[in-house]
Amino acid sequence: TDPNHIKRKTIKRPIMTQVYGVTGYGMQEQIFEELYRQNFKHGLWTRVDVKEMSKYIRDKVLESLGVTFKETQECRKWLDQVTRIIWKCQPTELRNAFSWTTPLGLIVRQPYRTHRDTPLFTYNGFTKISAQTASPASAKQLSAIAPNLIHSLDATHLAMTALEMQNRGLCMMAVHDSFWTYACDLPTMSQVLREQFVALYDNYD
């Protein structure tokens, strides 16, 4: 392989984590780490080279996100605006963690809570005990809503596919977004998972 080639893995993590609110600096650090590992094998670049390259690639990734994923970015922006309005409308003392119900009736509730350190003096010295409070963590509640919503819809699609396969008397297994079954049943499963995907987004807006 060409040691100068920028690999898929180089930019995979920044793209995957941008929905979680990763900053531009964080993206650059992720790219830097990947390039550093790659350079460890061939040693063609100096540390300054890697740093400059990571900044350049970070800028190109950010540019491409606005073009390649334009509609996705607009949808995420809308969702972010809506959740912030909902969050601000709630009195601080009555704020609840965000929750929603999937098309199959599963209630999803984000578990993120604020943490508080409690000082503890013991015979052996001073320490702090960190524990969750009853108050939802605002930053995490807001930044995690988009990816968690998508994960819940992906899980719904998986469940719908499994239920339909069961209705047809067929077996299947799945892990995350990987589906498998017996070779003789693959054409049927391929059709079912596509039909259920269309049904999910056609019937539940």
Side-chain angles (χ1 to χ4, degrees):
T1 58
D2 183 0
N4 294 298
H5 179 63
I6 302 302
K7 301 178 181 179
R8 173 178 176 270
K9 189 177 180 182
T10 308
I11 61 172
K12 180 181 178 181
R13 194 152 56 115
I15 292 175
M16 295 293 287
T17 57
Q18 58 95 20
V19 295
Y20 292 94
V22 66
T23 62
Y25 176 79
M27 277 188 169
Q28 183 176 337
E29 287 297 297
Q30 291 171 346
I31 295 169
F32 179 90
E33 290 174 11
E34 291 298 333
L35 290 176
Y36 189 83
R37 290 193 193 98
Q38 186 178 339
N39 189 53
F40 187 75
K41 297 178 180 178
H42 55 68
L44 295 177
W45 308 319
T46 66
R47 188 177 181 86
V48 174
D49 291 335
V50 175
K51 188 172 183 179
E52 291 178 352
M53 289 167 63
S54 62
K55 184 178 183 300
Y56 175 82
I57 295 172
R58 184 273 315 271
D59 293 341
K60 292 301 178 184
V61 168
L62 289 173
E63 287 177 19
S64 66
L65 286 173
V67 177
T68 308
F69 301 105
K70 182 180 179 181
E71 292 181 356
T72 305
Q73 294 290 82
E74 289 177 354
C75 182
R76 183 187 166 207
K77 183 179 179 182
W78 174 84
L79 187 61
D80 180 65
Q81 291 173 343
V82 171
T83 51
R84 288 183 184 279
I85 291 172
I86 294 172
W87 189 259
K88 288 181 180 178
C89 287
Q90 299 181 82
T92 304
E93 65 277 7
L94 297 177
R95 277 178 180 162
N96 292 312
F98 279 116
S99 64
W100 59 93
T101 304
T102 69
L104 290 184
L106 176 69
I107 298 175
V108 181
R109 182 173 288 108
Q110 296 194 139
Y112 316 115
R113 301 280 177 182
T114 57
H115 282 76
R116 180 178 297 165
D117 290 335
T118 302
L120 181 65
F121 294 90
T122 69
Y123 179 79
N124 294 319
F126 170 79
T127 187
K128 289 182 180 180
I129 297 177
S130 181
Q132 284 188 337
T133 68
S135 303
S138 59
K140 189 65 175 175
Q141 287 287 335
L142 294 170
S143 65
I145 187 77
N148 284 341
L149 178 61
I150 296 302
H151 289 325
S152 71
L153 292 175
D154 286 344
T156 300
H157 172 240
L158 189 157
M160 290 171 65
T161 301
L163 289 170
E164 180 59 25
M165 288 289 284
Q166 185 181 50
N167 290 339
R168 299 189 185 198
L170 301 175
C171 299
M172 67 161 284
M173 295 288 288
V175 173
H176 189 44
D177 56 0
S178 296
F179 299 72
W180 67 95
T181 186
Y182 296 110
C184 60
D185 295 332
L186 275 173
T188 302
M189 187 183 73
S190 179
Q191 178 184 354
V192 168
L193 70 87
R194 285 164 173 78
E195 289 175 349
Q196 295 306 309
F197 190 86
V198 172
L200 171 61
Y201 293 101
D202 264 4
N203 299 332
Y204 304 97
D205 192 350

